[in-house]
């Protein structure tokens, strides 16, 4: 049965299937569905001697503090998909996180080519051309993520386009299961808790990304700099709540001098250690200010929970980072939340 796309506020699930149209129209219908639901692409069937078969199931998950993201289940016959420059709409660019469930696919973007086996998670940037080959029938879950959200969780300076997280890695497996379980259970979660549940799943994905990308950097480099930066990042993440967290504490945890840590950290991330601490604290405060399940927590308590020691300095830092006061931001988020 052919239905409409899900409503962003209610999370209603939509289903689109080639079974709803005559056999002679199925491939054209599928091309239309893929372009509208996932991204503007050209789709070519690899088995043209039979009626094409495919279905897409979608639902939209609210994040409160950012644009919603879509969870998309795809089951379809073999096909080749390409996104060319002429098809790119800059007003609707996002990242596609492809969780391979059955079959395999080959993704290519930015000079990288990767094969996804069941359990792997691949990354594609819809603001740039890419190609995807599905040599046989497949099943895939896709997280269509706003670009701003990926920037929040991506290690600075890294580009995951065309990269895959191996399903055999423990952290990838945890992230995958959390995302799939969120997809299956989203409609059963009370709406006030859904943004927080989604953010928790995304946090596990961020951890798997950091582990994979930093691990690759360590294999490439002959020196310890990437390892020092990765350990510094891990220590910062574990101690953001501590108002006493400082460059000296981070340097001590890594085993280098503060000046040396500053030098290698800035070279790797374009940030000082203090800037990284501040940005992560502000990002977490922004999430919690928008979280409808935390409406009883004061702005000050949220700021203090993430390591800010003065409400006035927090307000100034928040306004500089996001162009709006914490109070005004929270009010706008509440106004957007469904009653």
């Amino acid at each position: 049965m052919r239905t409409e796309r899900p409503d962003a506020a209610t999370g209603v699930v939509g289903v689109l299937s080639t079974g709803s149209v005559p056999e002679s129209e199925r491939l054209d219908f599928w091309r239309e569905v893929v372009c509208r639901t996932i991204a503007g692409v050209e789709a070519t069937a690899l088995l043209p001697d039979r009626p094409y078969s495919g279905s897409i199931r979608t639902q939209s998950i609210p994040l409160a503090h950012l644009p919603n993201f879509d969870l998309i289940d795809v089951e379809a016959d073999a096909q080749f998909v390409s996104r060319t420059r002429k098809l790119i709409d800059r007003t609707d660019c996002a990242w596609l996180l492809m969780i391979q469930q059955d079959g395999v696919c080959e993704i290519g973007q930015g000079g990288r080519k990767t094969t996804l086996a069941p359990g792997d998670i691949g990354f594609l940037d819809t603001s740039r051309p890419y190609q995807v080959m599905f040599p046989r029938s497949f099943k895939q879950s896709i997280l269509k993520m706003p670009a701003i959200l990926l920037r929040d969780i991506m290690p600075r300076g890294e580009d995951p386009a065309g990269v895959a997280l191996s399903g055999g890695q423990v952290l990838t497996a945890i992230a995958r299961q959390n995302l799939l379980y969120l997809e299956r259970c989203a409609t059963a979660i009370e709406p006030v808790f859904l943004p927080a549940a989604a953010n928790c799943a995304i946090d596990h994905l961020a951890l798997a990304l950091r582990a994979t990308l930093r691990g690759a950097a360590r294999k490439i480099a002959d020196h310890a700099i990437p390892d020092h930066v990765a350990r510094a990042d891990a220590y910062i993440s574990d101690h953001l709540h501590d108002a006493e967290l400082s460059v000296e504490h981070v340097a001590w945890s890594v085993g280098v001098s503060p000046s040396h840590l500053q030098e290698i950290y800035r070279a790797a991330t374009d940030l000082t250690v203090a800037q990284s601490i501040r940005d992560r604290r502000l990002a977490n405060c922004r999430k919690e200010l928008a979280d409808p399940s935390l409406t009883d927590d004061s702005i000050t308590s949220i700021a203090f929970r993430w390591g800010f020691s003065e409400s006035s300095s927090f307000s100034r830092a928040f306004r500089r980072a996001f162009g709006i006061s914490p109070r005004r931001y929270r009010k706008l988020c509440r106004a957007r939340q469904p009653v």
Side-chain angles (χ1 to χ4, degrees), residues 71-74 96-103 105 116-123 134 138-143 165 167 172-173 175-181 183 205:
L71 292 171
I72 306 168
D73 266 335
V74 184
L96 303 181
L97 280 61
M98 310 165 73
I99 305 175
Q100 197 69 23
Q101 297 205 59
D102 292 322
C105 80
L116 302 183
D120 294 347
I121 303 177
F123 291 77
F134 299 95
F138 68 94
K139 180 178 181 181
Q140 193 176 75
S141 291
I142 299 174
L143 172 60
L165 304 184
T172 300
R176 180 183 67 245
Q177 291 304 318
N178 283 339
L179 289 168
L180 293 177
Y181 202 67
E183 180 183 44
L205 176 67

Side-chain angles (χ1 to χ4, degrees), residues 249-261:
H249 289 133
V250 179
W252 174 84
S253 75
V254 175
V256 298
S257 69
S259 59
H260 182 57
L261 177 63

Side-chain angles (χ1 to χ4, degrees), residues 55-194:
S55 66
I56 288 181
R57 178 180 181 272
T58 65
Q59 59 185 315
S60 189
I61 305 295
L63 286 176
H65 68 299
L66 291 173
N68 295 357
F69 69 84
D70 292 334
L71 292 171
I72 306 168
D73 266 335
V74 184
E75 291 187 64
D77 285 341
Q79 60 182 288
F80 174 75
V81 174
S82 64
R83 183 163 169 84
T84 61
R85 292 195 181 279
K86 69 178 182 180
L87 294 172
I88 293 173
D89 180 357
R90 292 287 178 182
T91 65
D92 185 32
C93 289
W95 281 82
L96 303 181
L97 280 61
M98 310 165 73
I99 305 175
Q100 197 69 23
Q101 297 205 59
D102 292 322
V104 298
C105 80
E106 301 167 5
I107 63 175
Q109 186 169 48
R112 292 172 173 157
K113 292 186 178 180
T114 308
T115 298
L116 302 183
D120 294 347
I121 303 177
F123 291 77
L124 291 174
D125 178 5
T126 66
S127 71
R128 292 176 276 173
Y130 62 77
Q131 302 83 38
V132 185
M133 170 75 77
F134 299 95
R136 56 182 182 271
S137 297
F138 68 94
K139 180 178 181 181
Q140 193 176 75
S141 291
I142 299 174
L143 172 60
K144 188 176 181 181
M145 177 182 289
I148 188 175
L149 178 55
L150 191 74
R151 287 199 299 270
D152 275 356
I153 68 172
M154 177 61 52
R156 186 173 288 265
E158 300 285 0
D159 179 9
V163 168
L165 304 184
S166 170
Q169 298 294 326
V170 173
L171 292 177
T172 300
I174 293 172
R176 180 183 67 245
Q177 291 304 318
N178 283 339
L179 289 168
L180 293 177
Y181 202 67
L182 177 68
E183 180 183 44
R184 289 196 296 269
C185 301
T187 56
I189 299 173
E190 189 176 345
V192 71
F193 295 114
L194 187 54

